[in-house]
Amino acid sequence: MPEDQGAPASPLEARSSPDRSSPAPAASPQPQILAPGSPVPRRGAVRASVPQKLAEALSSQYGLNVFVAGLLLLLAWAVHASGVGKSDLLCVLTALMLLQLLWMLWYVGRSAAHRRLTRPKDTHAGARWLRGSIALFAFITVILGGLKVGYFIGFSACLSVTEGVFPVTHTVHTLVQVYFLWVHAKDIIQSFKTLERFGVIHSVFTNLLLWANSVLNESKHQLNEHKERLITLGFGNITIVLDDHTPPCNCSPPALCAAISHGVYYLYPFNIEYQILASTMLYVLWKNIGRRVDGRRHPKIRFKFRGLTAGSALGLAALAATIGVVAVYLIQIGRSRTKSESALTMFYLCATTLLALMGAAGLVGIRIYRLSEQSLDESKNPARRLDADLLVATASGSWLLSWGSLLAMLCAKARPAYTWYNLPYSVLVIVEKYIQNLFIIESTYREPGELSDDIRTLRVVTVCNGSDAPLASSGLKGGAAAGKDVAPRDGRMPPAADGSMCLREGSGEGDAGPSWEGARGPAGRQHFLQGNVKRSILRNVAAFLFLCNISLWIPPAFGCRPEYDNGLEETVFGFEPWIIVVNLAMPFSIFYRMHAAASLFEVYCKI
């Protein structure tokens, strides 16, 4: 048979052979033959993801360069470098804020123009209580801006115009940014992704530079007060040189200007928390750009006040005691050597007791979670991951100070009586934060309490003596039996779905009834606490730790800093090295307490 008239050698050739009478189709590439089970390559997805990865890398490098350049400018002003004045620093910060304002207004306008489009949202980002907190801190920041404007008006004869423009710009920036975060914190941006990455990361590092500027101004004020108090503790060999930036002209009226200059520094802690909180929310927004949302529906976490419990009562008592201790500390410190030592002793005793109670409460919470069968939430959550990373990273500030104090205790030649109280305090700071971080991370990775009660897993129970028995559904809301759908054909029951649980009927005289055997999963574990009691204890632990963290945030935020006033560390390490360590570590230590309080509030709402 001629070759052109013969049949194809195989069915594949028959399907692929063109009709000889019809024109031949254009040549097309042969499909790639894949091995069974191998993943199908998605060229379009890979090619689409490459520019986004590059945009993420480029935007992060841009933000880091802006931040490093700004930090160097801050450092140059702090050390009085020649050619760098305060007006230069404020001009750069004002320009960065104006650029962020333009981007935020463009984003808000574009979102309003396309408001009918459905956009994906990150349910974990921008919780209502978080937005409420940033609104409160922003309100105090606006008051701070008003005081700075009043300070500029009083000293307008000898101040640069930038010192008046900066607080006005910062106030407008704060108002627009709070609105932006309140409305768009949950957005998952899917269009203009490259431009949005640069805009969001610019906003992140602009807020970080504003935070660093506030920290530097507040640290200078605290350092000046510390230098004035050092002489009362007998450290006269330390040269006291005040780093004063008071304008050279007189203010009118003098009483009002003095009140404004003192009031500004009491509002700085709230401004510092506002800036760092805004930068974290913006960072989550940046991480969510181009993110694919999973199909799971996450339950909304809402706060429910359940009355005054034992944990909240103890926490409120600790808060009231801490406020009293701080008030007495600020009054007595620096008055005389005896009063300063008594103030330090009082602070160490109060803080040591509070830290010991917090560590014990955290251990109780961790133990309950270890014995619990509550499932883990393994969904992708940038906000939760950032919270856990920040807890560990910012805790290192307190750990640095505590280890420095312990080393000073070991190396010091003379140890006054009050410094011995610093030993248990430093140890408990290290241990308590370690325990608290474990409790918070364990809690945030658990499913909400309501989910574990309403949605249960179908558990299949095996009757070990071989008799036929219906399969029961444990925990389904409908309560219907599941045995009709999965009835065995050979008289044997299938193995248990959750770890070979076995219900054995009593067959001997000594057997009183059915018993559970062979349970390898959590369902077979003996529970010393049932659901409601367990949740009640966890709520008390979370409420107590929440209020205690606020209590421990107050002393360093408002000038009660024994790391400055103790004097022992400065004798061992030297004045300037220890002051540098404290100024670097203290902002992270202060932020840790507020961030831990926010995380514990979320934990309380989930339980």
Side-chain angles (χ1 to χ4, degrees):
M1 183 178 295
E3 185 179 356
D4 57 349
Q5 295 179 5
S10 65
L12 180 62
E13 293 180 7
R15 286 194 301 269
S16 61
S17 299
D19 188 1
R20 299 295 180 179
S21 61
S22 60
S28 61
Q30 294 294 329
Q32 183 181 1
I33 301 177
L34 300 176
S38 61
V40 179
R42 301 189 310 173
R43 290 187 177 180
V46 173
R47 290 177 180 176
S49 63
V50 170
Q52 297 306 318
K53 289 296 182 182
L54 292 176
E56 182 177 352
L58 289 174
S59 61
S60 61
Q61 292 178 76
Y62 161 76
L64 286 172
N65 277 279
V66 170
F67 184 61
V68 169
L71 283 181
L72 288 175
L73 187 61
L74 280 168
L75 179 62
W77 171 71
V79 300
H80 305 283
S82 60
V84 179
K86 189 174 183 180
S87 59
D88 301 320
L89 173 64
L90 296 182
C91 282
V92 172
L93 293 177
T94 302
L96 291 174
M97 286 190 293
L98 290 175
L99 186 58
Q100 182 188 347
L101 275 172
L102 290 176
W103 173 78
M104 288 191 297
L105 292 174
W106 175 82
Y107 184 87
V108 171
R110 189 174 63 86
S111 299
H114 300 86
R115 58 182 177 272
R116 294 184 179 181
L117 298 178
T118 303
R119 294 184 177 86
K121 299 286 185 179
D122 184 0
T123 56
H124 296 285
R128 186 173 298 177
W129 60 267
L130 190 61
R131 289 177 289 169
S133 300
I134 199 172
L136 175 62
F137 291 141
F139 175 73
I140 300 177
T141 300
V142 171
I143 297 177
L144 176 64
L147 292 178
K148 287 185 176 181
V149 171
Y151 184 82
F152 169 74
I153 294 174
F155 289 100
S156 58
C158 55
L159 288 179
S160 172
V161 179
T162 55
E163 299 199 32
V165 174
F166 175 78
V168 174
T169 307
H170 192 216
T171 300
V172 177
H173 175 269
T174 300
L175 295 174
V176 176
Q177 183 169 255
V178 168
Y179 172 79
F180 174 83
L181 291 174
W182 189 274
V183 178
H184 301 287
K186 294 179 177 290
D187 288 3
I188 297 179
I189 300 171
Q190 300 291 351
S191 60
F192 297 97
K193 288 181 280 190
T194 301
L195 177 62
E196 304 298 2
R197 285 188 190 277
F198 279 88
V200 177
I201 206 65
H202 175 86
S203 304
V204 170
F205 286 103
T206 297
N207 279 274
L208 284 178
L209 284 176
L210 292 171
W211 167 77
N213 179 56
S214 299
V215 167
L216 181 60
N217 284 296
E218 198 265 346
S219 297
K220 280 178 173 289
H221 174 72
Q222 294 293 338
L223 183 58
N224 286 336
E225 291 188 347
H226 166 61
K227 288 178 178 179
E228 294 174 349
R229 292 195 299 255
L230 266 180
I231 195 65
T232 63
L233 290 176
F235 298 97
N237 56 341
I238 298 176
T239 304
I240 298 178
V241 179
L242 297 181
D243 188 5
D244 198 2
H245 291 276
T246 304
C249 59
N250 295 325
C251 175
S252 57
L256 179 61
C257 293
I260 289 176
S261 61
H262 283 87
V264 162
Y265 292 104
Y266 286 104
L267 298 182
Y268 262 122
F270 302 99
N271 171 245
I272 290 170
E273 296 300 329
Y274 161 73
Q275 301 292 174
I276 197 69
L277 188 59
S279 63
T280 55
M281 294 178 70
L282 288 165
Y283 177 78
V284 173
L285 180 64
W286 180 74
K287 291 294 290 184
N288 278 330
I289 295 177
R291 174 188 163 198
R292 294 185 178 181
V293 186
D294 55 2
R296 296 180 56 185
R297 296 187 63 184
H298 302 280
K300 292 184 178 180
I301 300 175
R302 297 179 179 178
F303 172 72
K304 295 180 181 179
F305 181 70
R306 298 175 174 88
L308 187 66
T309 59
S312 57
L314 288 174
L316 289 173
L319 179 62
T322 304
I323 294 174
V325 168
V326 171
V328 175
Y329 185 97
L330 294 177
I331 292 173
Q332 289 192 349
I333 199 73
R335 299 289 181 179
S336 65
R337 185 182 180 88
T338 304
K339 290 184 178 180
S340 296
E341 291 181 1
S342 63
L344 286 167
T345 303
M346 176 189 60
F347 173 83
Y348 283 134
L349 289 175
C350 177
T352 300
T353 304
L354 190 56
L355 289 170
L357 293 175
M358 292 173 67
L363 287 175
V364 171
I366 292 173
R367 181 61 177 169
I368 292 176
Y369 277 127
R370 285 289 181 261
L371 297 175
S372 174
E373 58 180 280
Q374 195 174 1
S375 60
L376 294 177
D377 182 9
E378 299 179 354
S379 60
K380 186 178 180 180
N381 187 344
R384 181 176 59 193
R385 182 176 179 180
L386 177 62
D387 287 341
D389 293 341
L390 284 176
L391 281 174
V392 178
T394 55
S396 60
S398 295
W399 290 337
L400 176 63
L401 295 176
S402 297
W403 283 112
S405 299
L406 292 175
L407 186 60
M409 287 292 298
L410 295 175
C411 300
K413 296 180 180 180
R415 302 176 184 87
Y418 68 91
T419 58
W420 284 103
Y421 296 102
N422 193 12
L423 182 62
Y425 169 74
S426 300
V427 172
L428 284 173
V429 165
I430 297 171
V431 175
E432 185 274 330
K433 288 192 174 181
Y434 188 88
I435 295 173
Q436 182 171 264
N437 289 346
L438 289 178
F439 173 73
I440 294 176
I441 294 173
E442 182 90 12
S443 302
T444 54
Y445 277 86
R446 297 279 180 166
E447 293 282 2
E450 291 80 1
L451 186 62
S452 61
D453 287 342
D454 298 339
I455 302 175
R456 305 287 183 88
T457 305
L458 178 64
R459 294 172 179 171
V460 184
V461 181
T462 304
V463 180
C464 298
N465 59 2
S467 60
D468 293 341
L471 299 176
S473 167
S474 66
L476 292 177
K477 287 185 178 181
K484 296 181 181 180
D485 297 332
V486 289
R489 296 182 180 179
D490 54 355
R492 293 181 300 174
M493 302 297 293
D498 64 339
S500 298
M501 287 194 307
C502 177
L503 178 62
R504 186 177 299 277
E505 294 288 340
S507 56
E509 295 179 358
D511 294 337
S515 62
W516 293 98
E517 292 183 9
R520 296 192 297 266
R525 183 180 298 162
Q526 294 293 332
H527 297 286
F528 71 101
L529 291 174
Q530 298 303 320
N532 292 332
V533 178
K534 179 184 67 177
R535 284 195 294 271
S536 177
I537 295 176
L538 289 174
R539 289 192 195 107
N540 279 277
V541 170
F544 176 70
L545 292 177
F546 166 75
L547 291 169
C548 287
N549 275 277
I550 293 180
S551 302
L552 293 178
W553 173 80
I554 292 175
F558 292 93
C560 181
R561 301 179 179 182
E563 295 85 0
Y564 274 147
D565 302 316
N566 189 20
L568 186 64
E569 295 88 349
E570 294 169 354
T571 304
V572 175
F573 296 104
F575 179 76
E576 291 185 357
W578 179 248
I579 291 300
I580 292 174
V581 171
V582 173
N583 286 335
L584 289 176
M586 188 60 69
F588 296 100
S589 179
I590 296 174
F591 172 71
Y592 171 84
R593 288 301 175 187
M594 185 58 68
H595 181 63
S599 300
L600 286 163
F601 184 82
E602 184 177 357
V603 168
Y604 180 86
C605 295
K606 285 181 63 177
I607 298 174

